[in-house]
Amino acid sequence: MSDFPAGPDFPPGSVWLVGAGPGDPELLTRKAERLIRAASVVFHDALVGPEVLDLATPGTRLVHVGKRSGRHSKDQASIDKLIVAAALEGERVVRLKGGDPAIFGRATEEIDACRAAGVAVRICPGVTAASAAAASLGLSLTLRGMARKLTFVTAHARAGEALDLDWQALADPTATLAVYMGKAAANEVSAQLIAAGLSADTPVALVENASLPNERQFRTRLDLLPLAARTALGDGPALLLIGKAMGAGLLAASAAEHVREAVC
Ligand code: SAH
């Protein structure tokens, strides 16, 4: 058992779903760090990096329950059972998830399982991948007068199934679209959004491994997104950001060029 002071909000037999952020350990909240240090067992995803796990007190049980598409992993029901069983044994349980647990994090299933077993469960939010990616790009996800709306969408489909998304609603020129789990579906995302009326030259940013030392970022346009996703990205987690706000720096840069030309 960890002898790190847990605080009154983390008694034995309780569960915290903790956001580990996008990867950089400095992007953890102070609360997340305290909970990780105080935990007696940590169930973590594949996307949680070693530097974050290193915060756990020696002797804390670290259990990898990660899910990465295409690789074998525990199913959600087994994860729910593991968490509940550990709490019922009197452990201080941290369920550590990449980014924010409440964004494409299957938090509700785990909360429901805990509550059904009478186990106290709470959420500690984390920095979501879209925020980290925008920060790395030096861009704002919203842009006065141009991107008044921010949509988080997952482009993950079950094997062999088409994406079940409302493309008409997503093809909104006044929005920024943050596409999680979108790398494999880049072709479909690009084709469907253009077919639904979004301009082919809509700016797109791709950020892989946002906030990590091996981060890579690319700027392109919607019609060229499939090519960029295919040729430029490796096998790390990647986020697609689509919308006029993603061209902001470029607009500023080309405006600066014009000014320079005018002055010279
Ligand atoms: N709960 C997480 C999202 C989990 S879904 C969050 O709030 O960020 C997993 C997807 O998140 C990945 O397929 C990828 O699209 C995105 N993602 C997670 N970490 C990322 C990172 N460091 N860089 C880029 N995208 C990331």
Side-chain angles (χ1 to χ4, degrees):
M1 274 269 168
S2 167
D3 49 14
F4 187 86
D9 58 356
F10 198 9
S14 64
V15 175
W16 276 89
L17 306 188
V18 176
D24 176 356
E26 288 197 325
L27 290 177
L28 273 181
T29 61
R30 292 177 63 186
K31 193 195 233 359
E33 183 171 350
R34 169 174 64 85
L35 295 168
I36 294 166
R37 286 195 198 285
S40 59
V41 58
V42 175
F43 295 101
H44 63 92
D45 283 348
L47 288 181
V48 175
E51 285 182 84
V52 173
L53 295 174
D54 280 349
L55 295 171
T57 312
T60 295
R61 201 153 56 91
L62 301 177
V63 186
H64 179 243
V65 292
K67 287 182 279 185
R68 286 297 305 274
S69 54
R71 293 181 208 168
H72 179 72
S73 59
K74 293 194 184 307
D75 64 35
Q76 187 61 45
S78 315
I79 297 173
D80 299 350
K81 280 197 193 120
L82 279 175
I83 294 168
V84 168
L88 292 176
E89 282 164 14
E91 305 262 24
R92 283 194 177 93
V93 181
V94 159
R95 171 71 174 106
L96 195 54
K97 292 165 174 283
D100 185 312
I103 297 178
F104 306 126
R106 307 289 295 263
T108 306
E109 287 92 324
E110 293 171 15
I111 290 169
D112 286 352
C114 288
R115 292 200 176 134
V119 168
V121 55
R122 297 176 68 180
I123 298 180
C124 173
V127 174
T128 193
S131 299
S136 294
L137 290 158
L139 292 176
S140 169
L141 291 167
T142 57
L143 185 59
R144 205 175 150 85
M146 281 207 216
R148 287 181 232 117
K149 192 201 241 182
L150 173 58
T151 305
F152 289 179
V153 65
T154 168
H156 179 71
R158 284 171 204 271
E161 287 178 21
L163 290 173
D164 182 19
L165 293 171
D166 181 349
W167 296 106
Q168 218 59 49
L170 293 177
D172 178 347
T174 68
T176 301
L177 194 56
V179 186
Y180 288 71
M181 294 174 263
K183 200 165 46 178
N187 285 4
E188 193 175 352
V189 169
S190 164
Q192 294 278 14
L193 288 175
I194 292 171
L198 201 58
S199 171
D201 64 2
T202 302
V204 174
L206 294 88
V207 184
E208 184 177 57
N209 294 315
S211 86
L212 289 163
N214 57 348
E215 173 184 294
R216 295 202 293 174
Q217 42 172 273
F218 306 93
R219 311 276 284 272
T220 182
R221 30 184 282 167
L222 189 54
D223 54 352
L224 300 176
L225 165 62
L227 180 68
R230 206 170 46 243
T231 56
L233 294 178
D235 64 358
L239 195 86
L240 319 180
L241 291 166
I242 302 169
K244 287 195 189 108
M246 294 303 107
L250 301 177
L251 292 179
S254 65
E257 280 303 312
H258 287 309
V259 171
R260 201 163 5 189
E261 274 166 24
V263 170
C264 295

